[in-house]
Amino acid sequence: METKNIMIVGVGGQGSLLASKLLGRLLLTKGYDIKVSEVHGMSQRGGSVVTYVRFGEKVYSPVIDKGEADYIVSFELLEAARWTEYLKNGGRIIANTQQINPMPVITGAAEYPADLAAKMQNMGIDIDAFDALSLAEQAGSAKAVNIVLMGHLSRSFDFTLDEWMDAIEKSVPSKFLELNKRAFLLGREA
Amino acid sequence: MKQLMLGNEAVARGLYEAGCAFVSSYPGTPSTEITEAAAKYAEIYAEWAPNEKVAMESAFGACLAGKRSFCGMKHVGLNVAADPLFTIGYTGVNAGMVIGVADDAGMHSSQNEQDSRHYARASKIPMLEPSDSAEALAFTKLAYTLSEQFDTPVLLKMCTRIAHSQSVVETGDRTEISKPYEKNPQKYIMMPGNAKRRHPIVEARTKALVNWAETAPINYVEAGADHSRGIITSSTAYQYVKEVCGDRYPVLKLGMIWPMPEKKILDFAAAVDELVVVEELDSFIEAHCLSLGLKVTGKSLFPCIDEFSQNLVAQKLGMQLACTGCKVEDAIPARPPVMCAGCPHRSLFYTLAKNKITALGDIGCYTLGAVPPLAALDTTICMGASISGAHGFTKALAGAADNKTVAVIGDSTFMHSGVTGLINVAYNESNTTVIIVDNSITGMTGHQQNPTTGMNLKGDPCTKIDLETLCRAVGIRRVRVVDPYNLKETETALLEELAANEPSVIISRRPCALLKYVKHEKPVAVDPDKCRSCKLCMKIGCPAISMKDGKATIDNTLCTGCGVCTQLCHFGALHGGKEA
C-alpha cells in the first residue's frame, strides 16, 4: 500500500502528543511500519505545533511535505488554514471550529481572518469542521478535544471500534479512561 | 517485542540493553528524553548534572571505575563539554563510554545551527549516526562494543528528526558488564610526557577504525538500477533520499560518520557516473570525498542552512514533486511561542521594559521576554552569558550615571554556568545587577529538576542548593528575594539595586505556573462598566487577556489568577485573583 499521511496540527498545549500516541498504538497492532514525528521544546509554549503520522509497508521520511497529507486533523481553525498547502489533492481536513487568538492578534498587530471554514470549503477543500470543544466538555473535560477529534477521524478508517478502544486503553491513565471513551464516541458520532 | 519508540527512548533502551550503569546529562532539546527514559530503568543510575562538562567528566569517571557510562546533551552542550572531550579522546576508556549529542537543524529550539560532526574529526573520536529508532537502539549498543574494542569514547549523533520521531523497534535483554579498575598513570594522567605518548596511539586508533569502517555492516551499499548517479548519505538525509528515489540510484549509507571509509567510497564512486552527497548542514562527507580526490556534487546543489525534506531533495535531484495544495488567500497571522498565562517571568519583564532597562538575557523560557509586547531583552547568546556580558557592559560604562543594565538568568542556567560569571562580578568588582528568575525548575526543556529544586532526576528528595547563601558566599553582599507577582515590590527592588554602588543579586522567586504542585487562584474577573479600554493590561502580553468589543476580557480556561493585571488597572476594572 501507499504510505498514508496524517498531520495533527494545533496550538502548543492542546494535547496533540496524546492523539499521535493513540494513533501510533493502533497502527502498531495492525502491523504497519510507522513514523510519528513530534515537536518538543520551545515551540510547545503556546506556539503553532504540528505532528506527522505516517504509516504503510515501509515508511522512510519522518515528516510530511507540502501536497502529501491525506488528512489534516486540526485542533484550531487558524491552524487548519495555516497548513492547507500540505493537503494532498483529494485529502481531507478535520477541524475543531474553536478559535484561539495568537499573540499578534491579541496585541492588535494582526487580524484573525473571518469565516475560515467557509473560505476553505470555497477553495474546494474537503473540510469537515465541527465544535469538538463542546463535545469534549460534554464528555467531562475541555482537555479531551484531542480524543473527540480522533473519534471523528476514526470514521475515515476501516479499523473497528474495539481496536480504537483498545488503543485508548493503552494510551490514557486509567482514571481518565471512561471520560476519554465518552469523548471518542461523541467525536465518532458527530 | 515490537514497540513504537522515540529515537531518544530507543537510545535509552540501547543503554539499558548494553548494560550501561551510569548516566549523567544536562537537559537540552532535542536530547532530553534520552536521560529521562534511561532514569526509568532501575538498573541505570541516572542524574542531571549542573552542566554538560560536569556530566561528561562524571561519565568518564564511571567508565574508569569499570561501568559502561553515558552522557547526553544538545549540540551547544558539546561546546561546554569540549574540554574533557578532547582529552578523554587521548586517555581512552576502561568500560565503554558513549556521548550522545543531538543537533537541531532548522533550529526548532536552539540558538545556532552548528554541525556536531566536526567535533568527531577535531577530537579524533568515532561518531555513529542513526537514521531511525531501530538504528538508535542498535547503534547505541554497537557504540559500547566499539568503545571497548578500540579504547575510545564514542559519539552518538542524533538530530531533531531522529530524536523526536517514533518508529518501530525490536527490544532485547540486558547484559551486565563490569571491569576492574587498574591504576595506569601513563594512560590516564595527561601531563605532557604521557600525552605525547598517547597521541600516536590515537592516530593509530583512527587508522584501525578506518579499516573497521571499510567492512562495517553499518556502512552499506543499497543497489540501484540507474548508475548515472550514486548517492552517499546518512541520518535523516538518507530517509529523504529513499523516500524520493526508492531503489532507482545506488546509495552508500554511512552509519559511522567519523572516521569514514576510503576504499569503500572510492569503489562506490568508481561504479557510478555522478557522485552526489546528500547531507544536512555543513559539507562533511563531501569534504572527505574531496580529500580522496573525487569529483563530487554536494553543497553546490544542497543548502547548508535549515533541515531538508523529501520535496527539497526531490527538487534538487530533479525528481517529480508532490502536487502542492492550495493556500488560503487571507494572511494567516503567525503563532509564535509565548510565555504561559501566570508565568512568573512576565511581570519581571514588564518591570524591566517599563523602566527602559538594558537586559542581557540567557537561555530558557525567559528568552520569550524578548518577544513583543514585552520586548524586554537585549541579548541571548549562550548559557551563562547574561552575567558575564553584563559585567563587561557595566565595566565598559564604568562611571556612567545612567547605566541601567541588568543580567537576567534562570535558576537552572545560573547553576549551569552563571556562578562563575557572578564570581567574576564579585572578584573584579563591577557594579552589576544580576536578576535570577527562579521558577524552581528547568522550564523550557519540560520541567527537569536542578540543583536548586531539592529533587533529583529519579524524583527523590535531595540536597537543595540555596541560591541566597551561594550568592553571598561568592562575595555578593546585596542579595534580596522578591515575589515577581508583586509589581511594586519588584520595581522597588530593581531601582534600589541599580542605584546601589556595589554588585547585587535580585532573586525573583515564584515556581513555574505549570508545575503540578502550584495551586491556581480563581480567574480574574472584568467589570466591563469600569473598563475604559486603555489597554494597559495588554502591555504584559498575557495570552489570557484580549479585547472584545472594546473591553478587556479574560479567557477563564487560561487565567491562573496571578493577579498581575489587576495591579496594572487604574480603574479597578479587573479584580479577583491573587492579592499582591
Side-chain angles (χ1 to χ4, degrees):
Chain A
M1 70 172 265
E2 206 176 306
T3 299
K4 286 274 177 208
N5 298 317
I6 305 170
M7 282 170 73
I8 303 170
V9 303
V11 179
Q14 278 192 300
S16 58
L17 286 190
L18 177 63
S20 61
K21 191 169 149 188
L22 170 66
L23 272 175
R25 284 272 160 76
L26 173 72
L27 296 166
L28 188 68
T29 59
K30 302 300 285 180
Y32 291 111
D33 190 27
I34 310 157
K35 283 206 170 131
V36 179
S37 215
E38 309 171 346
V39 183
H40 299 227
M42 190 177 214
S43 44
Q44 275 181 292
R45 300 271 174 264
S48 173
V49 295
V50 54
T51 304
Y52 307 103
V53 179
R54 312 191 70 210
F55 66 102
E57 266 166 45
K58 174 72 191 167
V59 179
Y60 288 107
S61 171
V63 298
I64 296 168
D65 216 325
K66 287 178 182 169
E68 290 189 336
D70 295 281
Y71 296 93
I72 295 177
V73 180
S74 182
F75 286 54
E76 199 273 350
L77 208 52
L78 184 66
E79 294 310 309
R82 188 186 308 285
W83 297 95
T84 50
E85 273 186 290
Y86 283 72
L87 200 63
K88 185 186 270 182
N89 231 335
R92 164 182 275 199
I93 296 179
I94 292 169
N96 179 14
T97 48
Q98 188 182 359
Q99 298 192 8
I100 301 174
N101 287 338
M103 197 45 74
V105 171
I106 291 178
T107 60
E111 264 188 50
Y112 197 109
D115 308 319
L116 278 172
K119 279 175 187 159
M120 285 186 266
Q121 207 136 36
N122 291 340
M123 286 161 62
I125 292 175
D126 176 9
I127 176 166
D128 185 355
F130 71 109
D131 185 357
L133 180 62
S134 299
L135 294 179
E137 282 165 350
Q138 195 184 323
S141 167
K143 287 187 177 158
V145 161
N146 48 11
I147 302 298
V148 171
L149 285 166
M150 287 298 107
H152 204 65
L153 175 73
S154 75
R155 304 203 316 193
S156 303
F157 291 92
D158 292 336
F159 310 125
T160 68
L161 184 59
D162 282 350
E163 287 168 338
W164 283 98
M165 287 297 175
D166 185 53
I168 293 175
E169 273 170 35
K170 287 177 182 149
S171 307
V172 305
S174 54
K175 64 174 172 175
F176 299 120
L177 184 59
E178 287 313 311
L179 187 161
N180 280 298
K181 281 185 169 176
R182 276 199 302 277
F184 184 87
L185 289 174
L186 285 170
R188 193 173 166 92
E189 287 150 16
Chain B
M1 195 179 88
K2 274 193 176 175
Q3 288 180 49
L4 204 52
M5 270 191 193
L6 272 184
N8 281 346
E9 290 169 345
V11 172
R13 182 70 200 184
L15 296 176
Y16 168 78
E17 291 180 15
C20 174
F22 181 94
V23 172
S24 185
S25 304
Y26 185 79
T29 313
S31 71
T32 311
E33 300 81 9
I34 301 175
T35 302
E36 288 181 324
K40 295 196 174 118
Y41 296 104
E43 293 86 346
I44 302 177
Y45 168 81
E47 64 178 25
W48 292 127
N51 68 34
E52 295 85 354
K53 179 177 185 286
V54 172
M56 188 179 289
E57 291 155 352
S58 304
F60 175 71
C63 96
L64 199 61
K67 298 289 184 192
R68 285 186 165 182
S69 69
F70 176 85
C71 58
M73 58 204 69
K74 67 184 292 173
H75 57 327
V76 287
L78 194 54
N79 302 337
V80 177
D83 198 357
L85 180 78
F86 279 69
T87 303
I88 60 176
Y90 275 32
T91 62
V93 300
N94 180 26
M97 174 173 172
V98 175
I99 300 156
V101 56
D103 282 9
D104 190 17
M107 293 181 275
H108 297 269
S109 206
S110 300
Q111 67 269 43
N112 75 31
E113 204 169 26
Q114 73 185 48
D115 187 333
S116 295
R117 296 177 300 173
H118 298 298
Y119 271 111
R121 178 161 51 194
S123 66
K124 303 167 194 291
I125 291 175
M127 177 180 266
L128 305 185
E129 194 176 37
S131 68
D132 61 20
S133 297
E135 283 190 353
L137 196 165
F139 285 16
T140 302
K141 292 168 79 173
L142 175 65
Y144 281 106
T145 309
L146 289 177
S147 174
E148 286 162 10
Q149 185 182 340
F150 292 92
D151 191 10
T152 176
V154 174
L155 287 155
L156 182 77
K157 202 218 106 185
M158 303 290 284
C159 65
T160 299
R161 292 299 178 195
I162 307 299
H164 288 164
S165 288
Q166 301 178 49
S167 56
V168 182
V169 299
E170 195 100 43
T171 57
D173 295 328
R174 177 175 170 94
T175 316
E176 293 292 345
I177 304 276
S178 205
K179 300 198 167 200
Y181 167 68
E182 283 167 29
K183 189 171 171 125
N184 188 347
Q186 286 76 27
K187 187 171 187 296
Y188 296 124
I189 299 180
M190 285 302 96
M191 54 166 83
N194 291 337
K196 277 181 184 177
R197 279 190 287 274
R198 288 300 299 177
H199 190 184
I201 295 171
V202 172
E203 298 302 330
R205 179 180 75 199
T206 299
K207 286 214 169 82
L209 279 160
V210 171
N211 286 336
W212 184 85
E214 299 289 0
T215 55
I218 60 167
N219 296 330
Y220 60 87
V221 175
E222 289 181 1
D226 183 351
H227 284 242
S228 66
R229 217 178 227 167
I231 299 170
I232 307 181
T233 185
S234 72
S235 186
T236 38
Y238 162 80
Q239 303 291 0
Y240 302 135
V241 165
K242 291 299 286 183
E243 178 87 24
V244 170
C245 304
D247 296 331
R248 179 166 170 188
Y249 302 117
V251 170
L252 171 54
K253 199 254 185 200
L254 295 176
M256 181 151 87
I257 206 69
W258 188 259
M260 279 177 269
E262 293 174 5
K263 188 174 177 301
K264 189 171 240 166
I265 289 174
L266 291 169
D267 289 351
F268 181 78
V272 298
D273 298 340
E274 185 197 13
L275 185 66
V276 180
V277 168
V278 185
E279 58 186 327
E280 282 186 333
L281 301 181
D282 297 344
S283 159
F284 191 78
I285 302 173
E286 182 190 7
H288 180 68
C289 292
L290 290 170
S291 77
L292 296 175
L294 291 169
K295 191 167 178 292
V296 55
T297 306
K299 291 298 160 188
S300 58
L301 193 58
F302 288 93
C304 64
I305 295 166
D306 210 347
E307 59 179 348
F308 291 180
S309 69
Q310 47 266 44
N311 280 2
L312 177 122
V313 171
Q315 185 208 338
K316 298 294 179 189
L317 293 177
M319 316 277 286
Q320 182 78 39
L321 276 169
C323 183
T324 302
C326 37
K327 242 179 155 165
V328 178
E329 258 179 41
D330 298 68
I332 303 295
R335 192 186 298 275
V338 291
M339 278 182 199
C340 311
C343 177
H345 301 327
R346 171 173 290 107
S347 39
L348 176 82
F349 284 121
Y350 171 76
T351 306
L352 294 180
K354 183 185 165 202
N355 289 283
K356 300 192 166 47
I357 303 293
T358 302
L360 280 73
D362 227 294
I363 307 286
C365 281
Y366 47 95
T367 310
L368 294 170
V371 180
L374 292 165
L377 284 175
D378 290 76
T379 63
T380 296
I381 308 293
C382 66
M383 300 285 281
S386 58
I387 298 182
S388 345
H391 168 77
F393 203 101
T394 304
K395 276 282 182 191
L397 294 181
D402 59 346
N403 181 16
K404 296 207 290 184
T405 309
V406 301
V408 179
I409 186 167
D411 47 323
S412 187
T413 309
F414 179 72
M415 297 311 293
H416 179 286
S417 38
V419 186
T420 39
L422 190 63
I423 289 171
N424 194 36
V425 166
Y427 169 53
N428 284 309
E429 297 180 337
S430 69
N431 189 9
T432 302
T433 304
V434 173
I435 302 172
I436 303 177
V437 284
D438 177 10
N439 64 350
S440 311
I441 202 72
T442 314
M444 180 59 85
T445 43
H447 284 180
Q448 288 74 33
Q449 304 296 337
N450 71 54
T452 70
T453 65
M455 296 275 272
N456 64 24
L457 167 59
K458 296 261 184 184
D460 299 322
C462 64
T463 303
K464 180 183 164 88
I465 312 298
D466 186 82
L467 280 172
E468 295 92 307
T469 311
L470 177 61
C471 294
R472 287 198 183 97
V474 304
I476 306 295
R477 285 183 294 263
R478 296 183 69 99
V479 180
R480 64 199 281 180
V481 180
V482 297
D483 176 359
Y485 278 181
N486 187 325
L487 284 175
K488 201 168 175 196
E489 181 191 343
T490 303
E491 186 167 37
T492 304
L494 175 71
L495 297 177
E496 283 177 7
E497 295 314 319
L498 278 170
N501 201 22
E502 63 173 302
S504 54
V505 171
I506 301 169
I507 300 170
S508 172
R509 178 170 289 149
R510 216 352 115 178
C512 171
L514 298 183
L515 282 166
K516 280 203 177 116
Y517 68 79
V518 172
K519 295 273 172 281
H520 294 171
E521 306 281 332
K522 270 194 185 154
V524 166
V526 185
D527 185 341
D529 294 336
K530 288 188 181 165
C531 176
R532 307 261 189 99
S533 313
C534 72
K535 295 187 180 174
L536 190 57
C537 56
M538 303 287 292
K539 291 214 188 265
I540 52 174
C542 177
I545 310 174
S546 55
M547 299 298 286
K548 204 170 187 180
D549 306 325
K551 303 282 179 184
T553 56
I554 303 287
D555 181 340
N556 286 346
T557 63
L558 292 176
C559 180
T560 67
C562 76
V564 170
C565 59
T566 63
Q567 298 167 55
L568 285 172
C569 185
H570 295 317
F571 310 109
L574 301 168
H575 45 86
K578 195 186 175 318
E579 280 181 34

